Amino acid sequence: MTHGRARGVYLPRLADAAAASMTTYGIPLLVLGTTNSASLTGVAFVLAWAPRLCTFALAGMAVDRFGPARVFRLTATARALVVGLAVPALIMTGDRTASVLVLLLAACAGCLTQFSFIAAESVGGAASREAGDEAHRVQSVLLSIDQAAGLVGPAAGGLLLQWGGSSGMLTVISGLSLVSAAIAPTARQKLVPTAETAGPVTQGWRTGWATLRVLPTLAWLVAGLALSNLTLGLLEAATPVIVVKELGRSSASVGVVWSCAALVSLLAVTVCRLAVDRWGLMRVGRWAAVVTVVPCFLIAHADSYAAYLVLTAVFMAGDSMLAVVLRTQRSNLIPAEVFASTLSVTVLILLLPYPLAGILMAVIDPAAIRTVITVCAMLQILGLLCAFTCGARSQPRHAR
């Protein structure tokens, strides 16, 4: 059975992204509410991301070998079961045991989400290749879906946690995961394992690295955005502490920050699509880098909730435009037969800063958070400068 782009690509991606968004932003809030500890909130952030780094090669190999549809359905179903079973477990345990269970939940949910993400990105990459010169439009729609999920997910998670407790939030996450598995296309993709994908996991890992090394434009862009993600990761880990502890707002206010940022990012992605049509991919990417780096220095000095919300939204708008550039380059440059394996390597590099940000959050004094954000902003500038200077020298002419 053949599905259209909306039914086969966009709708399953929307349900899965909504579940992932609530998981990413809701579980750290749950840990903060359970433990009242900034350090353990950072630990939860590490546990949410670290397992993903260990499963990239396996996820890429699984998708290349068995097809993205099958991997997507299985992992979304598994996440629904894990999160659903956590609801009665948390009800029947004491505070100390509940804290441990929430940390374990963060690790398990992060691992399963990574498999579904690689599968969904592989489907999106195939759709982009089919779109040809309009690949950036497909990636803009996919990113808009992610941003729409980011618009609803954090606010819904914060509200559910505040008014319905952990049971309400986790039940909704489990339900969304089941929906994404149910509406994913059931047609199995017939794949013939190649020499690159038929071997052990390490072979797929080496294939991904080898492919990335012969694509210097993509390699420089990934490296630059990895440093940018260090700032983003630190903001994600620190926002619950800054908003709740320093600015005296509720957990729902934390969700509002990310929902407003997602709304602005959604608008930015639409503008980016039109801008690329007129000025080209990399030129728009350079302007997006400027929009991204400026708010980082100002966030460190924001002394009100409104200022913090606005600056975070501007930062996320620029970051979303950079994501359009990266995703388009990735779908254009990576060969289809090794797409998932190479995708796994690029995503690994991009997500390595997230557990590092969690570690920083766990070990630094809360009073030093804003100073560390400033240092990360300086690293971000250096990374993006290299990405759009060194990488531009080997940029294919059609993408300039």
Side-chain angles (χ1 to χ4, degrees), residues 25 29 151-163 239-240 243-244 249-260 305 309:
Y25 297 106
L29 275 174
L151 173 64
V152 177
L159 289 172
L160 286 170
L161 186 60
Q162 183 173 350
W163 299 108
T239 293
V243 172
V244 176
R249 306 298 290 245
S250 66
S251 59
S253 298
V254 179
V256 170
V257 169
W258 295 116
S259 292
C260 290
Y305 176 74
L309 185 150

Side-chain angles (χ1 to χ4, degrees), residues 354-368:
Y354 284 93
L356 176 59
I359 293 172
L360 288 174
M361 187 65 197
V363 300
I364 63 175
D365 189 324

